[in-house]
Every structure is written in C-alpha cells, then in structure tokens.
Amino acid sequence: MEPSGQGANDHSQNSVGDGEHPWEVTDMTRLRRFICYGSEMAIYDTKEHRLGMESALALLSLLQEGRGCEVVAEVKRLALEGRPVRANPSLFALAVCSQHLDLNTRQGAFRALSDVCRAPEHLFTFIQYKKEAKERMRCGIWGRALRKAVSDWYNKQDAMSLALAVTKYKTREGWSHQDLLRLSHAKPANEAIMLISKYVIKGWKEVQVAYADKENSEEVIKVLSYLEAVEKVKHSADEMEVSHLVEEHRLEREQLLTDHLKSKAVWKALLKEMPMASVLRTLGKMTADQVLEPGSSDVAEVCERIQSEAALKKAKLHPFSVLTASENYKRGQGNRGKVKWEPDVDIIKALDSAFYKCFTNVEPAGKRFMVAVDVSTSLSSIVKGTSVSTAVAAAAMAMVFARTEAETQVMAYSEGAIVPCTITEGMSLRQVATELVKIPSGYTDCALPILWASEKRITVDMFIIFTNSACWHGEANPAECLRMYRHKMGVFSKLMVCGLTSNGLSIADPAEDRGMLDLCGFDLGAIEVIRNLALDLI
C-alpha cells in the first residue's frame, strides 16, 4: 500500500531540499521501528528477542511528553496496514498505553484492542504483557475498562470464527479463553456467542442439557453441530470417523489428538482444506509418513494445487516463502533431524514452478533500487534459520526486484570490482546465480555500490546490499559514502545491508540516520522491513 497521495513511481519524497534533514531519527521513528520489528535500533534480527521496558524507551518518552494518543493511533494505523512483521511489539505498546496515567490514552488503547488483536493468541499475549507490567506496580489488572474491552473482543467475532478460535487456540502465555471470559464477566451479545461462552466455561455436557429442548436459531444449530464434531473427535479412535468429521466440518490439525495424526486417512482429509502455507510446511512430514507416496494420485493433487496460480494468489505467497519451503523439502529432514524423508521429484518440480508464479504476488514499491550482491568467498554459507544457501537467497531477491520493480539495477561486487548484471524475465534462478558470480571473488567492500553509483551519477532511492556476515568496507565507510552521495545527487537515498548469516552488523548509523538499516539473517519479515524502509514507513 502506497502512502496517500503518492503514485507507484513518485520519487518526490526522496528529494532533499535546502536545510531539510529527512534522515533525522526522532522518537516517533524509533517507535515505528519498535512496532514493526521489536527494536528501536536500526537492526532487524531474524531471532526475536524478549520485550521489556528497556527496549521501548522511545515509547516511554512519548508517553511522558503527553503524546499517548499519537502512540495509540500509530500502533493502530500500522496494524491495520499490516506493517508490523511481528505481532508482539504492537501488543506490548498497546498494553503499556492501556495503563498510562492519561485517561484519553488508556481509553484509546482499549478501543484499539480489537483492531490490533486480530487472533486469540494476540489477546492472550496482550493480557500477559499487562499482567507483567502490573506486577511491578503491585496492583490488579482487571478493572472495568479491561473487562469491557475483552468482552467487546469476543462479541465482535463471527460466531463460527469464534467457535474455531476457542477450540483451536485454547491457551497461550498461561491464559485460556475460560480465564478471560470469567475474569471479564463477559455479557454475550447474542445467542450464538452465549452458547460458545457456556461451552468454554461450563463444558459440552452443560451445553447439551441447556440446548437439548430449545428452539434454536439456524446460527445456533450450526455452532452446536460444529462443537459436537469437535467433541466427537476428542473421544474417537476410529480414523474413518475422524476423517469424515474433518472433511464435513473443516476441522484443522490443532483440533485433533496426536494419535489422529498418525493416520494417513486423517492427513488426507486435512489436506483437502489445508491453507497453502500449511501445505508447504508439512510436505516433509506427509512424505515421511507416506501420506504422499511417489506416483500416487495424492501427490498429483498436491502438485496441481501447489502450482495453481489462483491458489498461490489467494495465499499471497512471496517467492522467497516458496523457495524456503522448497529448500527445506529438498534437504530430506526436519530442523532437528528426527523426521526424515526421500524428497519426491514431482513435488520438487511443482515447488520450482510455484516459485516463478509467485512473482505476480509481489506488490511494487515504485522506487529506484540498486541491488548489489557481494560475490566474495563470504557468499557460500546457509542463511541463518533456513536451508537456503546465501548465494541462492541473494539471487532470488535480485530476481524479485528485477522482475517487480521497473527501475532496478542489479550489481555484483567484490574487492575493487563491481559490474552490472543483466537479469531478464525468462532467466531461471540457476542462471541468475551464475550471472552474479562472473567476477573473481575477493574481500567484501560494502561501499563499492554507492561509490559506483556516485561516479556514474545514477539516481538511487535505495541501495540494498546482500553479503554474508562480513561488514568490512575497505577504505571508505558506507555510511559516509551514502551521505556524500545524497549531497551530490540531491536525493534522500537509503541503505539496507543484509547480512544473510550475521549475528550483528555495524554499518548503519542507528543514532543519527533513519535512512540506514541492517538485517541480521534473512526471512519473510526481512522482506517486509525492506519494503517499509523503502516506502519511508519506518
């Protein structure tokens, strides 16, 4: 989503006027970083860290300045736009705002609860953050405002969606739906919500007695039927009965018992309505459990679905998501090595096809990008937390930008050498990777792409540099080079350095410049962080 008033290729926000300092890091900048990825620093780490007051100093500063309503509005806006790559920072910020001394801030936080807590696990996490903060203050949390906010959250849910939620996401962070409904003294808004509340608090037997002789509405009958199916599954050891209930009521994996998941028939029933992302995550297990046997009709159906353009578009899968699933599947074992399988050739081909089809799912940012790939010896490892090699990951992201952004220059660089790379739409991932390594490897020099663009007077809105963990930059400091480039070209260019295997980079200037950011590792969240920085949202 583009900021209001800007076209897909409007570069006006990147122009630097006399006396302007668009790179200044303010408390609001730090707040947006925190909401987006859980840190006020200019570093995104794929490893999520525990949140605390010490990691949200800008949030506390804004509250002390009396800007609590602005904070709540920003948390809500970013949540509605889908900008945060992690849910917990928004929940933490909202929890802190909900107990601030300012009445308007507290009221605003509670009003925003339903917009920010999209799923039950979000609500549980929000409550836990409040509890942890209140424990330090030695007072309770269940005041009238929180009780009303939680009650409203349940009452705003669609009945069937809530029935799924209370049977799929039962507990999180030490809280359960039973806890929340009891402590909030929730007053159900309609008969269907009342039925679900009774089921959670009193249990299925009480529900059966209460609704056995009543003349129920169509919605209540539907909820009753669904909950009855959930209860039957809990007590059934008959795999055919479980399979039938899964298909008829579209039950999900989390609603079943562990023993049920040892059955091929149950897995096949789950597979029919399983979301695409879940299908990709469980391909290995289904192959290991022989649910997907080579040459079977089940494999053919899965392959057809994986390659379906309509299904891929509906799932909104990014090419990197499919690439990660493909590389994980090719590895032939789970992350811990306990589950092992022989990768199916047809599934591998289907994943390869899906990778290229997902490029249409990428929404262009409409900026002028330079994607520079470090081809030194450092680019020969595995991306942290994945099975994807750093060379393949860099090539894949170069393809993403080359195919989806109209103004993209792809470069390969090493010590003392930098060359443009031609990436056409018809090129395969292997061909792109080959194109990127056509210069000899050497030491990493992350300043080269900026120096080259400055020398050639090429206007770039954002430099994206892919390297391993090395951040050595030769004689020229990349941050200083970027500042000189901005001054020379009259444009507020940004710099994103992606350390694909790094546990910590030190190129960005976190204190002084909001146009620089480092990535430690690489995942789908990193892709959204890149987009947010490009669109000037963090």
Side-chain angles (χ1 to χ4, degrees):
M1 183 183 295
E2 294 289 343
S4 58
Q6 293 180 348
N9 290 286
D10 182 2
H11 308 302
S12 59
Q13 75 173 42
N14 290 81
S15 298
V16 179
D18 293 336
E20 295 180 352
H21 300 284
W23 52 83
E24 181 183 359
V25 179
T26 64
D27 277 343
M28 191 57 74
T29 302
R30 295 186 181 94
L31 174 69
R32 292 186 185 114
R33 287 175 180 171
F34 178 79
I35 295 171
C36 178
Y37 54 84
S39 172
E40 296 181 348
M41 304 298 289
I43 299 177
Y44 168 77
D45 194 337
T46 53
K47 181 180 179 181
E48 193 165 359
H49 300 280
R50 183 170 178 79
L51 302 177
M53 295 297 185
E54 67 282 354
S55 57
L57 299 180
L59 166 64
L60 299 178
S61 176
L62 289 166
L63 291 176
Q64 289 172 1
E65 292 173 10
R67 300 173 65 186
C69 291
E70 288 182 57
V71 171
V72 172
E74 198 66 11
V75 171
K76 179 179 177 179
R77 180 183 71 82
L78 292 172
L80 291 174
E81 292 179 1
R83 301 301 177 187
V85 302
R86 291 169 177 153
N88 285 5
S90 296
L91 303 174
F92 180 89
L94 203 65
V96 172
C97 291
S98 72
Q99 54 200 47
H100 188 55
L101 294 175
D102 178 61
L103 177 62
N104 291 331
T105 299
R106 293 200 307 274
Q107 290 177 337
F110 285 124
R111 283 195 299 269
L113 188 66
S114 294
D115 293 314
V116 179
C117 296
R118 300 294 188 89
E121 59 266 39
H122 297 164
L123 185 61
F124 294 146
T125 302
F126 169 79
I127 297 295
Q128 181 59 23
Y129 280 140
K130 279 188 68 68
K131 179 175 181 289
E132 290 173 359
K134 284 288 187 179
E135 281 177 348
R136 289 191 289 270
M137 299 168 65
R138 296 185 179 181
C139 58
I141 68 171
W142 288 97
R144 182 183 300 174
L146 178 59
R147 293 200 303 271
K148 183 180 185 304
V150 171
S151 180
D152 288 347
W153 187 92
Y154 281 100
N155 283 324
K156 288 179 181 179
Q157 306 301 310
D158 167 76
M160 288 305 296
S161 298
L162 185 58
L164 168 63
V166 300
T167 55
K168 180 179 179 182
Y169 308 102
K170 296 180 181 179
T171 63
R172 180 67 65 89
E173 300 288 347
W175 296 93
S176 68
H177 290 287
Q178 188 178 68
D179 296 330
L180 268 55
L181 286 168
R182 280 178 169 168
L183 291 167
S184 67
H185 305 160
K187 296 180 180 179
N190 56 57
E191 188 66 30
I193 302 297
M194 182 179 292
L195 160 61
I196 295 168
S197 298
K198 184 179 285 291
Y199 171 75
V200 171
I201 296 172
K202 300 290 186 180
W204 176 240
K205 288 184 179 180
E206 290 278 346
V207 167
Q208 286 180 303
V209 172
Y211 288 85
D213 301 320
K214 290 181 68 174
E215 186 174 334
N216 299 310
S217 67
E218 184 177 338
E219 185 178 37
V220 167
I221 292 171
K222 193 175 179 181
V223 173
L224 278 170
S225 176
Y226 184 83
L227 294 177
E228 182 180 24
V230 172
E231 289 297 313
K232 282 183 178 179
V233 162
K234 282 183 186 178
H235 303 95
S236 178
D238 184 338
E239 65 177 329
M240 297 314 297
E241 180 185 29
V242 172
S243 301
H244 173 71
L245 290 168
V246 167
E247 288 188 26
E248 183 180 357
H249 296 277
R250 297 186 176 184
L251 302 183
E252 299 188 21
R253 179 181 176 183
E254 293 82 358
Q255 294 168 300
L256 307 184
L257 302 178
T258 302
D259 285 345
H260 294 153
L261 300 176
K262 297 176 183 178
S263 165
K264 292 183 185 179
V266 171
W267 270 106
K268 289 179 181 179
L270 286 169
L271 193 54
K272 293 182 179 180
E273 295 293 336
M274 189 180 291
M276 180 68 80
S278 298
V279 171
L280 297 185
R281 281 197 303 270
T282 55
L283 283 173
K285 179 168 176 56
M286 288 191 288
T287 303
D289 292 346
Q290 297 183 323
V291 176
L292 299 176
E293 298 185 84
S296 67
S297 59
D298 296 308
V299 167
E301 288 177 15
V302 166
C303 289
E304 182 180 353
R305 186 176 171 192
I306 289 173
Q307 297 175 84
S308 166
E309 292 184 9
L312 293 170
K313 185 175 182 179
K314 181 180 179 182
K316 300 179 181 179
L317 289 177
H318 191 279
F320 191 79
S321 179
V322 178
L323 176 65
T324 302
S326 178
E327 294 300 312
N328 287 341
Y329 183 73
K330 289 176 186 176
R331 186 173 59 175
Q333 64 178 38
N335 291 333
R336 298 180 181 177
K338 292 182 179 180
V339 180
K340 297 184 178 181
W341 61 88
E342 185 66 34
D344 186 276
V345 175
D346 291 332
I347 292 177
I348 292 173
K349 289 180 179 177
L351 289 168
D352 187 55
S353 173
F355 169 74
Y356 296 104
K357 290 180 179 180
C358 281
F359 280 95
T360 58
N361 291 344
V362 179
E363 184 181 0
K367 302 298 178 182
R368 296 162 293 197
F369 291 96
M370 176 173 287
V371 179
V373 180
D374 166 22
V375 294
S376 69
T377 53
S378 69
L379 208 64
S380 57
S381 305
I382 300 297
V383 176
K384 188 171 68 172
T386 75
S387 300
V388 184
S389 74
T390 49
V392 169
M397 290 309 300
M399 286 180 71
V400 168
F401 281 94
R403 286 194 180 194
T404 62
E405 299 290 349
E407 299 178 77
T408 295
Q409 174 74 66
V410 178
M411 312 293 295
Y413 75 94
S414 187
E415 182 188 16
I418 181 166
V419 296
C421 298
T422 302
I423 298 179
T424 61
E425 190 168 339
M427 292 175 71
S428 68
L429 181 58
R430 183 184 295 273
Q431 288 172 325
V432 172
T434 301
E435 174 72 9
L436 290 173
V437 295
K438 61 185 182 182
I439 63 172
S441 62
Y443 292 106
T444 299
D445 187 349
C446 293
L448 278 177
I450 305 169
L451 294 172
W452 185 87
S454 179
E455 181 184 342
K456 302 293 184 181
R457 299 193 68 84
I458 295 175
T459 304
V460 177
D461 293 321
M462 186 167 178
F463 294 91
I464 304 175
I465 296 175
F466 288 96
T467 181
N468 194 333
S469 59
C471 58
W472 182 81
H473 44 70
E475 295 180 1
N477 183 294
E480 288 302 321
C481 289
L482 183 67
R483 293 190 182 98
M484 290 188 288
Y485 173 83
R486 288 170 177 168
H487 181 75
K488 178 178 180 179
M489 301 299 295
V491 62
F492 174 44
S493 301
K494 302 182 179 74
L495 171 64
M496 176 78 75
V497 181
C498 309
L500 298 173
T501 64
S502 175
N503 288 315
L505 285 172
S506 59
I507 288 180
D509 186 342
E512 303 294 338
D513 200 314
R514 70 178 182 85
M516 302 184 199
L517 205 149
D518 294 326
L519 301 181
C520 298
F522 202 80
D523 58 9
L524 289 175
I527 294 169
E528 193 61 29
V529 170
I530 291 173
R531 179 174 175 80
N532 285 343
L533 185 65
L535 292 176
D536 214 35
L537 297 170
I538 57 174

